[in-house]
Amino acid sequence: MNEPQEFVPQKIQIGISSCLLGSEVRFDGGHKNSYYCAKEIAPFFEYTSICPEMAIGMGAPRKSIRQIKDGDILLIQSADGTLDVTAELHEYSRNKVQELGYLGGYIFCAKSPTCGMERVLEYKKGTNNSTKTGVGVFAKALMDKYPYLPVEEEGRLNDMVIKENFFTRVYAYHDWRNMIASGLTKHKLIQFHSRYKYLLMAHSPKLYRELGPILANLEDLEASADSYFKGLMTALKIKATRKNHTSTLQHIQGYFKKHLNARQKEELTDAIMKYREGLLPLLVPITLINHYLKEFPTEYIENQVYLNPHPEALKLRYAY
């Protein structure tokens, strides 16, 4: 498998920019403490805190650096050009990411010339003219090394849909690696796909349909699993829509048609329709389905990751 397996299965390891946890590592000696990262979600994860600039010995406070484009060459220098850490940061990034195969996700600090995931300022050499076309040196090295690792910028986690999508991917990525670490078999791979059926349908019905044929021929199990994993993470990166959620909920509703009485059927249909119209959050029909599952157990539906893709305490299903 391309993705490394040396991770701690008991608690998901998340990489994070040190400044987001309150460490005073910024160029001005300050931090960008995120209450959400440092307090709200910290109990769910084990953090690996990294500041590339401090790691190469720049200290804090320090002279600020920026990305500078000199033709096709990307330089990391101070505005006046008297400090150049291009070689040091590239070398550190190349070496450091080799050690991070155990991570199950990464939360970056936005706009940083080292840690920005996107829209980092790139300056034209010798000017103050810039475009938001850069990617942080360390962030790029990590994303290039682990292209399917769930990554996000802290500020974007204020968007409920982006936040829910990120953590859905984090837990799916972790679930996959647990399965691989336990010993890959054809049966386990097929069962994994079975459990992820409705989550995949909510994110991308098209990619869900494309994943099925991969499981039809498992002669080269490792190659098939690798292809499946790439398709899985690609599909889950697509944000689930209200339309797809509604269709998925209606599919699940069909499993209860022989068990629910008229009042219960109407109650569930009403919850799904009000969700579709934006009058209720997704949590409402999901909660109702989970309630009916306790009353009328259906193993296939109980095993669906869609109903519980992440801990309820993270409060992520208010996004839709």
Side-chain angles (χ1 to χ4, degrees):
M1 300 300 296
N2 290 337
E3 295 298 325
Q5 302 168 22
E6 65 281 11
F7 65 103
V8 179
Q10 291 79 10
K11 202 166 190 181
I12 299 177
Q13 309 277 316
I14 297 289
I16 188 167
S17 297
S18 300
C19 58
L20 298 177
L21 297 180
S23 297
E24 296 176 338
V25 297
R26 305 242 324 143
F27 74 94
D28 57 2
H31 57 74
K32 293 196 72 174
N33 185 54
S34 163
Y35 181 85
Y36 181 70
C37 293
K39 299 296 182 183
E40 289 193 29
I41 64 172
F44 297 91
F45 306 105
E46 197 74 44
Y47 283 138
T48 294
S49 172
I50 296 172
C51 175
E53 294 171 36
M54 291 290 284
I56 64 168
M58 292 185 70
R62 59 181 176 270
K63 185 171 286 191
S64 64
I65 55 174
R66 56 171 58 173
Q67 291 193 358
I68 298 173
K69 263 307 189 65
D70 184 6
D72 293 330
I73 301 172
L74 178 67
L75 305 172
I76 314 297
Q77 299 178 332
S78 58
D80 59 10
T82 58
L83 175 65
D84 189 319
V85 290
T86 305
E88 291 91 337
L89 277 173
H90 278 288
E91 182 180 11
Y92 169 79
S93 298
R94 282 194 303 269
N95 293 335
K96 186 62 178 178
V97 299
Q98 301 296 327
E99 304 171 6
L100 300 177
Y102 60 89
L103 293 181
Y106 207 103
I107 302 175
F108 291 113
C109 177
K111 302 179 182 178
S112 163
T114 53
C115 295
M117 194 178 88
E118 61 180 16
R119 296 175 61 80
V120 174
L121 291 177
E122 279 189 350
Y123 290 83
K124 184 177 180 181
K125 188 175 176 61
T127 77
N128 274 323
N129 298 327
S130 64
T131 57
K132 295 180 179 179
T133 53
V135 178
V137 173
F138 175 74
K140 185 177 188 305
L142 184 76
M143 292 188 291
D144 286 349
K145 176 65 177 174
Y146 310 109
Y148 299 100
L149 178 73
V151 298
E152 196 49 84
E153 288 184 340
E154 183 273 338
R156 283 166 49 91
L157 295 179
N158 291 318
D159 182 306
M160 289 289 289
V161 174
I162 290 175
K163 178 165 60 178
E164 201 271 342
N165 179 271
F166 172 65
F167 286 110
T168 293
R169 288 184 288 130
V170 165
Y171 279 92
Y173 189 88
H174 183 68
D175 193 10
W176 174 266
R177 295 204 301 171
N178 273 333
M179 190 261 292
I180 295 296
S182 71
L184 178 65
T185 66
K186 293 179 181 180
H187 176 72
K188 287 179 183 178
L189 182 55
I190 292 169
Q191 287 296 105
F192 186 96
H193 181 61
S194 177
R195 292 192 299 112
Y196 275 81
K197 173 181 177 177
Y198 288 117
L199 186 63
L200 284 164
M201 284 178 61
H203 284 261
S204 175
K206 177 179 180 293
L207 289 179
Y208 165 70
R209 290 191 296 270
E210 291 177 5
L211 284 171
I214 294 175
L215 304 180
N217 182 2
L218 296 177
E219 289 185 14
D220 187 338
L221 180 58
E222 190 164 319
S224 295
D226 189 56
S227 295
Y228 182 88
F229 170 73
K230 291 174 181 177
L232 169 77
M233 298 310 298
T234 299
L236 294 183
K237 197 170 184 179
I238 298 170
K239 297 179 183 68
T241 64
R242 193 175 292 274
K243 176 183 176 182
N244 285 345
H245 271 305
T246 298
S247 176
T248 301
L249 291 166
Q250 289 173 331
H251 272 86
I252 294 174
Q253 182 182 24
Y255 281 87
F256 293 100
K257 61 184 179 182
K258 295 181 179 179
H259 304 290
L260 303 184
N261 60 37
R263 179 192 59 78
Q264 291 169 325
K265 288 178 182 177
E266 183 180 357
E267 182 181 36
L268 183 53
T269 297
D270 186 57
I272 294 173
M273 290 302 101
K274 284 185 176 178
Y275 160 73
R276 186 183 68 175
E277 295 164 11
L279 300 176
L280 291 175
L282 179 62
L283 182 65
V284 174
I286 291 288
T287 300
L288 195 53
I289 287 170
N290 280 321
H291 168 72
Y292 287 144
L293 274 175
K294 292 178 182 178
E295 195 170 346
F296 309 106
T298 304
E299 185 178 5
Y300 180 69
I301 301 301
E302 287 177 309
N303 288 334
Q304 289 299 314
V305 174
Y306 176 76
L307 297 177
N308 299 285
H310 31 61
E312 186 178 0
L314 283 173
K315 303 174 184 177
L316 297 173
R317 282 217 145 143
Y318 297 93
Y320 299 90

